[in-house]
Amino acid sequence: MGTELLAEDPAAELLERATQGDAEAFAALVRQHQRMVFGISWHFFRDPAVAEDLAQDVFLQLFQHLREIRSESHLVFWLRQVATRKCIDHARWRQRQGQPPLDLEAASQVAAEAERGDSGDLEQLRRLVAGLPASFRAVVTLRYQEDLPPGEIARVLGCPVNSVKSRLQRALALLRERMKP
Amino acid sequence: MEPIEEKLNQALNCINAPDGFVTRVMARVEAHAPAIAKSFEKPRSSWFEWLWPWMAHPVPVAATAIAMLLALGLFLGYWRHQATPAISQQGRIDGRKASAELMLALEITSSRLSRMHVILSQPPPTVSVPANLIAPPR
């Protein structure tokens, strides 16, 4: 019966094979989820090297914890959670190291890009998101990249739903304010 | 939905990782694989390693454990049964010795009491006074 279920669900079969040590299956899993993981870290830092390093770390950690993954949906939840937490930790580490906050860099380029029309507007918004405080960035990325409702974001971040809602509101207020011409 | 939210929906989308990303991830995984394999094995302590194969078959292991406990119980019962007479024999010897000592003490006490009884039951001795020592009446 188990074999029939596996045959009907290719994602579950792939996960099962990867758990049993099949490198090809694991590579397929990485290929399948790299857009989501890389997207989260890219929108967090807008730095290709940092984003790739973090995304690689996430998949390496996945390889170490494959036995704990129970299903495809659990895998997606796990990847979102680990990617977001790694991004928050890295952002806080950068702050402790005294590295320049990204929003200052973004602010200097906002005016030039705003003139490019819609795409410039979106690019400006992406830069402004990358300049938000780490906890706001996490909420905004999960809400608008992953289309998660506040309750699901709260599960991923391990915090109350009301905190998520309030962070979201404050982040939107900050973005609106910074978007003003 | 507010205009800024619509813009965020358009702006924040999933992005493909740079070319060769999967290959680089797999290279890191392969580099770490032996260490990971070791880390899976390491946490087992020696008793856990010994116990682990047994835990794969819980029913036969439980049956064997129950049988071993029963055998141990039977052995302990038999040992106790064998050991009890030896203990009671020694007790009996000590008891007899104590009883003999008690009898001896009682006999001694009894003989002393008998002698005292004989002495007390004899009439007091009569004393004869010479006549010249008795003063004549005036």
Side-chain angles (χ1 to χ4, degrees), chain A residues 53-71:
Chain A
D53 269 358
L54 288 172
Q56 282 188 18
D57 284 350
V58 171
F59 285 111
L60 190 62
Q61 197 167 330
L62 171 66
F63 184 76
Q64 292 166 349
H65 293 266
L66 261 180
R67 291 177 188 193
E68 294 162 23
I69 306 295
R70 297 185 296 272
S71 62

Side-chain angles (χ1 to χ4, degrees), chain A residues 12 56 59 62 101 125 127-130 146 162:
Chain A
Q56 282 188 18
F59 285 111
L62 171 66
L125 195 55
R127 286 180 182 280
L128 290 175
V129 167
E146 294 299 305
N162 285 336

Side-chain angles (χ1 to χ4, degrees), chain A residues 121 124-125 128 175-181, chain B residues 4 7:
Chain A
D121 210 26
Q124 176 197 3
L125 195 55
L128 290 175
L175 289 174
R176 258 187 240 111
E177 191 185 310
R178 290 178 186 181
M179 283 284 281
K180 278 179 189 168
Chain B
I4 194 164
K7 278 186 181 174

Side-chain angles (χ1 to χ4, degrees), chain A residues 34 42 52 121 126 144 176, chain B residues 2 5 7 11 17 24:
Chain A
Q34 51 90 19
W42 170 257
E52 172 153 355
D121 210 26
R126 286 185 202 113
Y144 298 105
R176 258 187 240 111
Chain B
E2 291 180 48
E5 288 186 287
K7 278 186 181 174
R24 289 190 290 277

